[in-house]
Amino acid sequence: MFATKLVLFIAVVSLLGTFSSAAVDTFIYGGCSQAKYFPGSPYESNVNSLLTSFVSSASLYTYNNFTVNGISSDSSSVYGLYQCRGDLSSGSGDCARCVARAVSRLGSLCAMACGGALQLEGCFVKYDNTTFLGVEDKTVVVRRCGPPVGYNSDELTRRDSVVGYLAASSGGSYRVGVSGNLQGVAQCTGDLSATECQDCLMEAIGRLRSDCGGAAWGDVYLAKCYARYSARGGHSRANGYGGSRNNDDDEIEKTLAIIVGLIAGVTLLVVFLSFMAKSCERGKGK
């Protein structure tokens, strides 16, 4: 499986830990297999068919998995799944838009890769040439913690309360816990059984407690589940689709616009100074 040879990309902007106010399509992480397929191969056709199925299905379902079988004599079969965050619905279109965005980014990030996975704030997509569907995988993909909050008994109590709720076995595959201004969220992929989901979440929550115990926020993403909490609170979608979309693409565009403007300004200044220098030289020569 490509998970053992993963090239991982993590968004710097996500280190702020402000998942509560992030846009639904904010980039969290992505990874690609090192193995590549040939352009025009049957496998490429099957990958394209799989990713197209993701986008079509997401308008009706918030989770689905697909297998596109190749010819029995070759190894062109491809397996994949997508999943939207538990508070997004297919009816509102948020899930479909997030999946479409994820598929587009995955296509650019993992061009010609035999396997790839990409996590946005609101959805997750993955494909591979080896089946991973229904297989529990607790490999740590991303683990990060915010700054320490020091010894604050109220803050620690709220964190323990939130994380404790996330660990509750009756919470289902998508769980949200709230205590004061602290909110946490946990979710596992829909291909896991209830027992496997609980096992995966307990691993993620255990790492969250041990590694980010005294931090203002923490994120732990395993291959098939994640657990997060933030002192800023909330998983508001107000800044998702239809709201303020301050994602990394917007910031890049703004930065480029500023750079282009500065270059243009400097160029005009150089031309003006050159013109003034020549005018002064002509004045002296008279």
Side-chain angles (χ1 to χ4, degrees):
M1 292 180 64
F2 83 89
T4 60
K5 299 180 179 179
L6 193 68
V7 179
L8 187 66
F9 306 89
I10 302 174
V12 174
V13 66
S14 64
L15 293 176
L16 297 176
T18 56
F19 59 88
S20 60
S21 60
V24 174
D25 57 356
T26 296
F27 180 83
I28 303 296
Y29 72 83
C32 316
S33 68
Q34 295 178 346
K36 303 289 185 179
Y37 58 80
F38 292 106
S41 65
Y43 189 78
E44 179 181 34
S45 176
N46 289 346
V47 168
N48 291 337
S49 175
L50 180 84
L51 297 180
T52 300
S53 296
F54 285 177
V55 177
S56 300
S57 177
S59 62
L60 300 173
Y61 308 102
T62 56
Y63 164 81
N64 214 337
N65 66 73
F66 297 90
T67 298
V68 180
N69 292 313
I71 303 172
S72 58
S73 59
D74 64 23
S75 57
S76 59
S77 296
V78 58
Y79 312 86
L81 65 79
Y82 75 85
Q83 177 163 288
C84 289
R85 200 174 64 205
D87 62 331
L88 299 185
S89 69
S90 56
S92 67
D94 284 355
C95 178
R97 283 189 287 268
C98 186
V99 171
R101 181 66 165 165
V103 166
S104 175
R105 289 192 174 191
L106 187 62
S108 301
L109 185 70
C110 300
M112 303 301 171
C114 289
L118 188 138
Q119 176 77 58
L120 299 184
E121 186 68 39
C123 61
F124 172 72
V125 295
K126 180 179 179 178
Y127 73 93
D128 198 4
N129 60 356
T130 303
T131 184
F132 58 91
L133 301 174
V135 178
E136 187 177 359
D137 186 352
K138 295 185 287 186
T139 303
V140 177
V141 182
V142 173
R143 179 179 55 204
R144 58 188 176 230
C145 309
V149 295
Y151 182 76
N152 183 319
S153 59
D154 291 339
E155 194 74 19
L156 293 175
T157 299
R158 284 193 292 269
R159 186 213 64 201
D160 290 342
S161 175
V162 167
V163 174
Y165 179 80
L166 297 181
S169 60
S170 60
S173 62
Y174 176 71
R175 310 171 186 185
V176 176
V178 181
S179 180
N181 69 335
L182 195 71
Q183 183 165 351
V185 62
Q187 186 173 21
C188 52
T189 56
D191 61 320
L192 298 183
S193 67
T195 301
E196 291 169 335
C197 176
Q198 180 66 15
D199 186 46
C200 187
L201 289 179
M202 288 302 293
E203 177 72 16
I205 292 167
R207 290 181 177 272
L208 197 61
R209 280 173 166 157
S210 62
D211 297 349
C212 304
W217 56 265
D219 296 342
V220 173
Y221 283 87
L222 306 185
K224 286 292 186 80
C225 67
Y226 66 84
R228 317 170 70 186
Y229 74 88
S230 171
R232 295 174 184 246
H235 279 77
S236 171
R237 292 162 52 200
N239 292 330
Y241 293 105
S244 173
R245 295 180 54 170
N246 296 323
N247 54 34
D248 45 342
D249 286 346
D250 295 333
E251 294 303 318
I252 291 172
E253 291 174 1
K254 291 175 183 177
T255 302
L256 288 175
I258 293 172
I259 292 174
V260 170
L262 288 173
I263 293 174
V266 171
T267 301
L268 289 174
L269 180 61
V270 170
V271 171
F272 176 74
L273 292 175
S274 176
F275 173 77
M276 292 298 295
K278 290 181 180 178
S279 298
C280 291
E281 289 177 359
R282 285 198 296 269
K284 292 179 180 179
K286 291 182 178 180

